[in-house]
């Protein structure tokens, strides 16, 4: 049997969708994707759980997910953390606060995913996180537990809506929600996304050379040609990796991608993924950070985070990667990056010498 739709608790307060045809945009952790025309509203715990894999880009396991919900019922952002190993639940709970603090006046919905034998640990996590949120004036609308193959709302007291034994996870229509949100695919777990950037056969990188202005302009055109698939200008993978060591080339390529090649972002992301997979550690941070920025701007917070981790794994003090890590940690929406770039001329990235 399928649960009632919508259940008669918090979802009854969510405003109905507009009468006109809806185009629901994709949300990812702390992201507000480009092209969003309608906010995402979820009418009950069954829709929350069906949407979470599409929100994250993968099906969470051993995790707690927080959805920040605006007063009109729209999802502001999502944040996820693994279940903590140690006893310090307060510090673990505090890691969710940026998702709340940077989303304005919001409520929260909590969803936990664990094995049945971890039900007590999950309950303790819920209690600690709820306490931290309430201390900061954030109302928790619902708390949903997914234990093994069954789920139930812990908050709901209606036995018909949320029976104690829960509902089978098979009642969740994830495919419908994925199509509704415009998400092409969802990974089975986070490791699948990590594996997308796993090292492959390493590329022999062109030795670093001093560049004058003319050389740098040629390198910018060559790297962009490689990323956006322009065979007339494209450099080889080896040459592109070598050129991206120069931060002026890196920053100008990023400026051009943001301003002049928006429609080619998917192609550029695929090419940057190929660079990251084959780059030796000494040149990996630059393409990995470019990929992180691009994935973030595309509304793919999960892949953006993984690209940052790859960059910092190769170069822990890489400045642009540290900046991206901070932006993701604090739940900054992608438009803040575009707003900052709006005041930055291309010449400032390209450099004068």
């Amino acid at each position: 049997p399928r649960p009632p739709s919508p259940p008669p608790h918090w979802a009854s307060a969510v405003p109905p969708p507009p009468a006109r045809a809806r185009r629901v945009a994709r949300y990812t952790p702390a992201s507000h994707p480009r092209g969003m025309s309608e906010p995402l509203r979820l009418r009950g715990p069954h829709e929350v759980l069906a949407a979470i894999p599409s929100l994250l880009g993968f099906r969470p396991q051993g995790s707690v997910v927080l959805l920040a919900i605006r007063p009109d019922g729209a999802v502001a952002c999502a944040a996820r953390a693994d279940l903590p190993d140690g006893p310090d639940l307060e510090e673990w709970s505090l890691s969710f606060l940026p998702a709340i603090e940077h989303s304005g006046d919001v409520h929260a919905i909590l969803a936990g995913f664990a094995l049945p034998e971890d039900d007590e640990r999950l309950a303790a996590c819920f209690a600690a996180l709820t306490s931290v949120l309430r201390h900061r004036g954030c109302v928790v609308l619902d708390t949903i537990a997914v234990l093994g193959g069954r789920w139930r709302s812990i908050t709901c007291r209606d036995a018909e809506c949320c029976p104690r034994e829960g509902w089978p996870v098979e009642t969740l229509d994830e495919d419908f929600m994925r199509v509704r949100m415009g998400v092409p695919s969802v990974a089975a777990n986070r490791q699948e996304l990590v594996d997308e950037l796993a090292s492959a056969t390493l590329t022999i990188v062109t030795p670093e050379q001093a560049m004058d202005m003319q050389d740098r302009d040629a390198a910018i055109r060559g790297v962009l040609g490689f990323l956006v698939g322009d065979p007339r200008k494209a450099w080889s993978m080896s040459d592109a990796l070598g050129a991206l060591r120069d931060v002026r080339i890196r920053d100008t390529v990023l400026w051009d991608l943001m301003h002049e090649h928006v429609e080619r972002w998917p192609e550029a992301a695929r090419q940057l993924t190929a660079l990251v997979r084959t780059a030796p550690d000494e040149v990996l941070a630059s393409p990995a950070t470019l990929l992180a920025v691009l994935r973030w701007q595309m509304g793919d917070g999960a892949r953006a985070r993984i690209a940052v981790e790859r960059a910092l794994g190769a170069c822990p003090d890489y400045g642009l990667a540290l900046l991206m890590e901070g932006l993701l940690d604090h739940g900054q929406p992608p438009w803040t990056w575009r707003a900052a770039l709006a005041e930055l001329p291309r010449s400032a990235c390209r450099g004068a010498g």
Side-chain angles (χ1 to χ4, degrees):
R2 298 181 62 86
S5 177
H9 53 298
W10 61 264
S12 62
V14 175
R20 59 189 176 86
R22 302 184 67 210
R23 292 175 57 212
V24 182
R26 172 184 184 182
Y27 275 80
T28 51
S31 291
H32 301 247
R34 297 178 61 258
M36 182 179 64
S37 60
E38 290 279 348
L40 173 63
R41 293 183 173 87
L42 302 171
R43 300 183 62 80
H46 59 294
E47 287 199 359
V48 168
L49 296 179
I52 281 176
S54 293
L55 289 168
L56 299 180
F58 60 94
R59 293 182 178 85
Q61 301 170 356
S63 306
V64 169
V65 176
L66 181 151
L67 301 188
I69 307 295
R70 296 196 178 101
D72 65 355
V75 177
C77 75
R80 184 201 68 90
D82 292 333
L83 293 177
D85 294 326
D88 191 350
L89 296 183
E90 182 177 6
E91 181 179 356
W92 173 84
S93 299
L94 291 173
S95 68
F96 284 91
L97 290 185
I100 296 294
E101 294 169 348
H102 291 280
S103 298
D105 181 19
V106 294
H107 303 316
I109 296 173
L110 309 181
F113 302 81
L115 297 174
E117 55 266 32
D118 290 329
D119 58 342
E120 292 186 3
R121 183 159 67 119
L122 181 60
C125 291
F126 280 150
L129 181 52
T130 299
S131 176
V132 166
L133 293 173
R134 286 177 176 169
H135 182 70
R136 283 158 176 78
C138 178
V139 175
V140 176
L141 297 174
D142 205 351
T143 303
I144 310 165
V146 182
L147 297 169
R150 304 188 74 84
W151 66 269
R152 63 181 288 263
S153 168
I154 297 174
T155 307
C156 181
R157 303 303 181 190
D158 187 324
E160 292 187 3
C161 171
C162 299
R164 186 170 183 80
E165 67 275 15
W167 294 96
V169 294
E170 290 79 9
T171 62
L172 302 173
D173 201 342
E174 291 183 8
D175 288 338
F176 172 80
M177 189 62 68
R178 179 177 56 78
V179 172
R180 172 185 164 189
M181 295 168 65
V183 178
S185 63
V186 170
N189 51 58
R190 190 176 188 271
Q191 187 60 43
E192 281 195 7
L193 303 185
V194 173
D195 291 343
E196 291 179 0
L197 294 185
S199 295
T201 303
L202 298 184
T203 298
I204 298 175
V205 180
T206 303
E208 190 169 8
Q209 300 176 354
M211 290 188 179
D212 59 21
M213 186 70 75
Q214 187 174 359
D215 292 334
R216 196 181 310 140
D217 286 342
I220 292 167
R221 291 192 297 270
V223 174
L224 274 172
F226 173 81
L227 295 181
V228 302
D230 185 346
R232 299 169 300 169
K233 302 176 182 178
W235 278 16
S236 68
M237 183 177 292
S238 174
D239 290 337
L241 281 172
L244 286 172
R245 285 181 294 215
D246 187 323
V247 296
R248 294 165 296 186
I249 294 173
R250 179 203 69 189
D251 291 350
T252 309
V253 166
L254 182 56
W255 194 99
D256 286 347
L257 285 172
M258 294 295 105
H259 288 83
E260 299 176 0
H261 298 283
V262 175
E263 75 286 352
R264 306 307 297 272
W265 283 1
E267 174 67 20
R270 286 191 291 271
Q271 293 293 83
L272 284 167
T273 297
L275 289 182
V276 171
R277 285 177 56 84
T278 60
D281 280 353
E282 61 268 21
V283 296
L284 188 149
S286 180
T289 308
L290 287 181
L291 179 60
V293 175
L294 197 56
R295 289 295 192 188
W296 181 43
Q297 295 300 305
M298 294 169 68
D300 196 338
R303 285 183 172 87
R305 170 74 68 179
I306 291 166
V308 166
E309 291 172 357
R310 287 284 276 131
L312 293 176
C315 184
D317 60 352
Y318 196 72
L320 187 58
L322 290 171
L323 173 62
M324 267 302 303
E325 182 182 47
L327 292 169
L328 293 172
D329 284 347
H330 288 85
Q332 293 287 352
W335 64 261
T336 57
W337 182 276
R338 297 192 290 272
L341 282 184
E343 303 299 324
L344 182 69
R346 186 177 187 272
S347 58
C349 299
R350 178 171 170 266

